[in-house]
Amino acid sequence: ATRSAEPDEPLLGNPPNFHDQPNILFHSELRGIDFDCGGNPGAIGVAFRAAQESSIENVRVVATGATAGFRGIPGRNGGAANVEVEGGRYGIDLIDGGLAGTTAVGVRLLNQTERAIRTLDFCPFVMVGFQIVKDHGPVAQVVDRQWSMGDGTLCLVDGSIELRRGGMAFDNIVAAKTVYLRNLYVKGTTELI
């Protein structure tokens, strides 16, 4: 009989004695690259949880049939600019937490099957200048974190959301977190939150 094995580091299945520790990854950049992880159900296009002065710029991920385009983006004086994800269960997945405030500007999240954004952090995730297109809502999930030091606010500014088959844009019932929306255009539903 066979039994399933889970890697010690669930994010990437890293080798023994390696630990993904974003609070000590400084001055790192990912710029001007396209990734295609489509058709691989467990794949994540870019896993890049980093700390101060790190960034992701001009990166596109095709994640159709994959898990996520981005798993973590730099926080603490860093972030992402001009990024795009086509497909995947999640576009930007910040479920690992510990990013301490992340900002993304110029973002396109297209055709995710579950959520365009999933976040679980103790600091706000801010996205400015964005386009989200999905078959149906909701587009974002702020996951409840029982041991959180803060409230995990989701801030969306200057963007558009298009839902082809309707549905509630933001379902905030479970976590009941703060959602800040400013200059947001929503098409395809009459239910916002």
Side-chain angles (χ1 to χ4, degrees):
T2 61
R3 67 185 165 137
S4 62
E6 290 294 324
D8 293 333
E9 173 56 55
L11 178 62
L12 297 174
N14 293 315
N17 303 317
F18 179 90
H19 182 71
D20 177 37
Q21 192 168 351
N23 63 331
I24 60 170
L25 179 59
F26 303 108
H27 309 290
S28 300
E29 294 182 355
L30 178 64
R31 183 184 308 163
I33 300 176
D34 291 348
F35 294 92
D36 187 346
C37 61
N40 297 295
I44 296 166
V46 175
F48 189 4
R49 299 188 314 141
Q52 288 98 341
E53 299 169 15
S54 296
S55 65
I56 298 172
E57 301 171 29
N58 304 319
V59 174
R60 181 175 186 266
V61 178
V62 175
T64 305
T67 295
F70 292 93
R71 171 71 60 85
I73 55 178
R76 304 174 197 87
N77 301 323
N82 299 321
V83 296
E84 179 177 336
V85 178
E86 170 66 42
R89 290 175 51 211
Y90 304 99
I92 295 178
D93 191 10
L94 307 179
I95 199 68
D96 297 309
L99 301 171
T102 300
T103 302
V105 297
V107 178
R108 293 184 75 213
L109 303 173
L110 310 171
N111 304 315
Q112 281 72 49
T113 57
E114 290 190 34
R115 303 287 189 275
I117 302 163
R118 181 171 70 162
T119 180
L120 173 123
D121 206 357
F122 60 93
C123 291
F125 171 52
V126 179
M127 197 163 74
V128 180
F130 64 91
Q131 177 189 25
I132 297 173
V133 178
K134 231 174 147 274
D135 274 343
H136 56 82
V139 298
Q141 178 182 14
V142 181
V143 179
D144 192 18
R145 184 176 190 166
Q146 299 298 325
W147 49 271
S148 176
M149 294 181 283
D151 68 357
T153 300
L154 175 64
C155 301
L156 301 178
V157 180
D158 295 337
S160 67
I161 295 171
E162 179 181 344
L163 301 174
R164 293 185 195 101
R165 294 183 299 153
M168 187 175 298
F170 300 94
D171 184 351
N172 196 27
I173 292 172
V174 175
K177 299 293 184 177
T178 302
V179 177
Y180 177 82
L181 309 172
R182 184 178 180 110
N183 296 331
L184 179 66
Y185 175 76
V186 180
K187 177 181 176 183
T189 186
T190 57
E191 298 177 279
L192 185 59
I193 299 178

